[in-house]
Amino acid sequence: MGAITARRGKLVLMIVLACLAWVFLNLGLVVAAWMRSYYAPIEPVPQAASIDLRSDKTAPGRTITIIATKPTPSKGDFIGHLWLEWPETPPLARPGSRESGYYANDQIQAIKAMAAALILPWGTVTGQDFVPGLMKADDGWWRHLQVHVRVDEARYQAALAVDRRWRTENRYRLRPSMIGPHNGKTFACQDYVFDVAAVLGLDTAKRSWTEFPMGSFMRFARINKIAIAGQANGPTQ
């Protein structure tokens, strides 16, 4: 009887240690991603680049600006953000607003859901529970990096169609699920911005849910050879 009890005790201890290792592993990944985002070289700010994707260079085209901020704890921002600036107010946007980004309706609720998905072993499969999300105006928000993208009217209208779809979205999720109809997909500020960027003709295929907004923006810039923030990414187009 004593031997059985001892074996059970060892099994329980092994399970506890495995769970703790899982928690520390996930926390380590989050901290590493945060550090890469926080220490992104961005001085002086804002850094900017311009790319011209017009097929007809004689047409005036339209310019959409992709904007990124890194975590700035001194200003109460511990995550960073990605959003867009439009040349005019998009349909369904707040009147007079030209800058918009996608958010969790309740940041604390989103953080709790994300923490549960990271800590619980089945979170790898089920992902984060959806929490309510919505589009918010970002006019006047400080910016660190930005890319001005000039496109033809057709691509601009396609971008507006994507923006319109996101303004009716109400789900927010940072860690994707491996199962279900939305497997592998997150619903956050990066997804809104990169969905628009994709229809503009930019490469957004290599997304990673483990990256903070600034980290995902830096990867996006490297993939598209956009020279920004002192990085050797190649020439702007």
Side-chain angles (χ1 to χ4, degrees), residues 53-200:
L53 301 180
R54 290 175 300 163
S55 56
D56 179 4
K57 303 301 183 183
T58 64
R62 303 283 196 107
T63 299
I64 299 173
T65 301
I66 302 172
I67 308 165
T69 61
K70 71 172 189 175
T72 312
S74 62
K75 296 183 179 181
D77 180 9
F78 292 89
I79 296 176
H81 187 44
L82 291 182
W83 73 100
L84 298 175
E85 179 181 10
W86 300 84
E88 57 190 26
T89 302
L92 306 184
R94 189 183 71 184
S97 174
R98 296 194 298 114
E99 300 180 33
S100 305
Y102 194 73
Y103 290 83
N105 186 54
D106 185 327
Q107 292 292 334
I108 300 301
Q109 183 184 16
I111 290 172
K112 288 180 178 179
M114 182 61 174
L118 289 172
I119 292 172
L120 299 175
W122 53 86
T124 303
V125 177
T126 62
Q128 174 192 320
D129 288 340
F130 282 112
V131 299
L134 74 167
M135 192 77 74
K136 292 183 180 180
D138 282 317
D139 301 80
W141 193 256
W142 67 86
R143 53 183 73 185
H144 291 137
L145 303 179
Q146 53 190 345
V147 178
H148 307 295
V149 186
R150 196 173 183 184
V151 295
D152 295 318
E153 185 64 25
R155 282 184 174 175
Y156 181 75
Q157 293 301 324
L160 284 178
V162 174
D163 176 80
R164 189 179 296 109
R165 172 170 57 80
W166 271 93
R167 290 184 189 276
T168 62
E169 181 59 71
N170 59 9
R171 296 165 296 178
Y172 186 93
R173 179 169 70 182
L174 289 173
R175 183 166 193 173
S177 169
M178 295 176 63
I179 57 176
H182 302 294
N183 67 86
K185 182 169 175 55
T186 52
F187 293 77
C189 65
Q190 298 102 309
D191 302 288
Y192 160 63
V193 168
F194 292 150
D195 278 359
V196 171
V199 301
L200 296 182

